[in-house]
Amino acid sequence: MEPRRVGESSTVVSQLMLPSDANTTGNVHGGTIMKLVDTVGGVVAMRHCRQRVVTARMDEMSFLHPVFVGDLVTLKASVNDVGRTSMEVGVRVEAENLRTGKVVHTASAHLVYVALDPEGRPAEVPPLMAETEDERRRMAAAKLRRLRRERRERA
Ligand SMILES: CC(C)(COP(=O)(O)OP(=O)(O)OC[C@H]1O[C@@H](n2cnc3c(N)ncnc32)[C@H](O)[C@@H]1OP(=O)(O)O)[C@@H](O)C(=O)NCCC(=O)NCCS
C-alpha cells in the first residue's frame, strides 16, 4: 500500500457555539466538544485510509478553559501514527472570543480509529509518512502511548 503524508488527511474545522450547545449559564457542554472531537477525528482517519472507520478509543480529555456561547471553536486534527488497521489521531481544540480575538487552548485528545472492510472486519491502512520535525515527534509519542496501552491491557 502506498504511504500517505500527514498533510493529506489533516483537517481544520471551525464552529460557532450556539445556545443549543450550552447549559443555562452559557457554558458549552463538554459533550458538545467531545462530539466535535470524535467527528473531526473520524474525518481525518477516513481521509487517511479512504475506508469506513469506527472509534476504538478516546484517551482521557481535560478541559483546560471554559468555552462560552458565541465563541468560535476550532479543531485541528491529524494522524499521529498508524498500526496495521488502526490510526491514532490527535485533535487540538481552541476557542476564540470573536469580540476580543483572544484564542485559548481548550482541550487536546488522542483517539484511535480502526478501518473496517465491507464485512466489518478490521482492514489494513496505508503507512504514514511523517515529514516535519513536529510530525516525527507526534509519531514517536503515539508509538509510546500505544506501547503503554498494550502494557496496561496485558497487566
Ligand atoms: C474497534 C474494533 C473494530 C476492534 O475489533 P477487534 O476485533 O478488537 O480487532 P483487533 O483485535 O484485530 O484489533 C484491530 C486494531 O484495533 C486496535 N484496537 C482495538 N481495540 C482498541 C482499543 N480499545 N484501543 C486502541 N486500539 C485498539 C488494535 O490494536 C489493532 O490495531 P492494529 O491493527 O493497528 O495493530 C471493535 O472492538 C469494535 O467494533 N468496537 C466498537 C466500535 C464502535 O462502535 N465505536 C463507536 C463508539 S460506541
Side-chain angles (χ1 to χ4, degrees), residues 38 54-58 82-87 112-116 120-123 125 146 149-150 153:
D38 190 22
V54 284
T55 314
R57 175 185 209 98
M58 186 170 189
V82 301
R84 199 181 74 81
T85 66
S86 68
M87 297 153 281
V112 178
Y113 295 89
V114 177
L116 299 180
R121 291 178 306 235
V125 299
R146 183 184 174 114
R149 281 195 289 265
E150 288 172 353
E153 268 152 34

Side-chain angles (χ1 to χ4, degrees), residues 31-53:
T32 300
I33 304 291
M34 287 166 86
K35 186 174 177 193
L36 281 171
V37 165
D38 190 22
T39 303
V40 178
V43 167
V44 168
M46 286 188 78
R47 277 181 149 174
H48 179 75
C49 68
R50 297 296 175 192
Q51 301 174 84
R52 70 187 169 114
V53 303

Side-chain angles (χ1 to χ4, degrees), residues 2-99:
E2 280 290 297
R4 301 220 169 117
R5 294 182 165 80
V6 173
E8 289 179 68
S9 54
S10 302
T11 301
V12 179
V13 168
S14 293
Q15 188 164 315
L16 184 66
M17 293 294 104
L18 300 173
S20 54
D21 297 314
N23 64 20
T24 49
T25 57
N27 282 75
V28 169
H29 297 297
T32 300
I33 304 291
M34 287 166 86
K35 186 174 177 193
L36 281 171
V37 165
D38 190 22
T39 303
V40 178
V43 167
V44 168
M46 286 188 78
R47 277 181 149 174
H48 179 75
C49 68
R50 297 296 175 192
Q51 301 174 84
R52 70 187 169 114
V53 303
V54 284
T55 314
R57 175 185 209 98
M58 186 170 189
D59 276 356
E60 74 177 43
M61 194 171 155
S62 303
F63 293 98
L64 309 170
H65 290 281
V67 180
F68 300 105
V69 169
D71 284 351
L72 185 72
V73 166
T74 297
L75 299 100
K76 300 177 179 175
S78 55
V79 183
N80 289 333
D81 193 27
V82 301
R84 199 181 74 81
T85 66
S86 68
M87 297 153 281
E88 191 201 270
V89 176
V91 184
R92 180 185 167 94
V93 185
E94 294 173 349
E96 178 183 346
N97 179 314
L98 289 176
R99 275 170 293 127

